[in-house]
Amino acid sequence: MRVTFTRLPDHEWGSVLIERDDHVVYRMGAGPITAQVPHDLVHYTVEDALRISDGIWGAIAAGVVFRSMTHVSGRRPPHAAERSAALIRTYRDRLQRAELLGGVVEAAAAGGELPARAGCWFPDESAVGRAVDALHAAEARWGALPIGGELTLTWPSHRRLPAAPTRRRH
């Protein structure tokens, strides 16, 4: 899946272009742009550094369509909305954990201390350092982008949510 972040002038409303492996393209609202790394790029960076498949970006790769996403092009698979809702229901706790992980790593990268319970969220101590280093690198790349510049990243196809169990109708 290709994910493109565009650097706009500060305080303009930004978006992220998402080109999934099934050739369906979405635009996701990203909020006001600033010199800081966009929220969705923080999540991308942290989830990628920690090799998380059950976070925000693994969910999108698997077919989840969040409310902030707008269909741009490509034929959506049959029953895509139902499958998206089932994935969100099934993995809600993991998606919430991904939100927390992004915030914890962002705070650590800014020089803050990790919460006492953060250790249970990470596979090992080196994971925090790896994610913080990755976030610092993303900050440098984002900061070096000129206005109108793009940062295109590729989410690995193997790193996505497994299919949600389906309910059979009789």
Side-chain angles (χ1 to χ4, degrees):
M1 175 172 76
R2 287 172 32 111
V3 181
T4 302
F5 297 87
T6 303
R7 179 75 164 93
L8 300 174
D10 285 356
H11 310 294
E12 282 195 23
W13 195 265
S15 63
V16 180
L17 189 67
I18 301 163
E19 302 170 68
R20 290 192 330 212
D21 291 343
D22 62 1
H23 307 292
V24 180
V25 179
Y26 288 93
R27 187 169 305 284
M28 183 166 64
I33 299 298
T34 67
Q36 303 293 354
V37 174
H39 177 76
D40 296 316
L41 181 53
V42 169
H43 278 289
Y44 185 102
T45 302
V46 171
E47 293 173 25
D48 188 46
L50 296 175
R51 294 172 175 75
I52 293 174
S53 61
D54 58 359
I56 306 305
W57 291 100
I60 293 171
V64 166
V65 178
F66 294 108
R67 284 185 294 228
S68 61
M69 295 170 63
T70 304
H71 179 253
V72 174
S73 66
R75 186 170 188 272
R76 292 176 277 196
H79 311 290
E82 292 88 352
R83 266 192 260 115
S84 174
L87 285 168
I88 291 171
R89 270 192 313 276
T90 301
Y91 297 104
R92 183 174 314 278
D93 60 331
R94 295 179 188 184
L95 295 171
Q96 289 172 342
R97 181 192 66 154
E99 281 290 339
L100 291 171
L101 285 170
V104 166
V105 171
E106 189 172 29
E113 291 191 27
L114 292 174
R117 294 177 40 107
C120 67
W121 299 338
F122 295 99
D124 58 51
E125 282 293 317
S126 66
V128 177
R130 188 171 63 244
V132 166
D133 290 346
L135 192 51
H136 284 155
E139 289 168 348
R141 286 179 75 186
W142 183 254
L145 274 180
I147 301 300
E150 295 181 341
L151 177 59
T152 299
L153 306 168
T154 302
W155 187 262
S157 60
H158 67 276
R159 203 177 309 145
R160 59 179 160 207
L161 289 177
T166 58
R167 293 186 221 169
R168 296 216 160 210
R169 296 180 188 181
H170 299 287

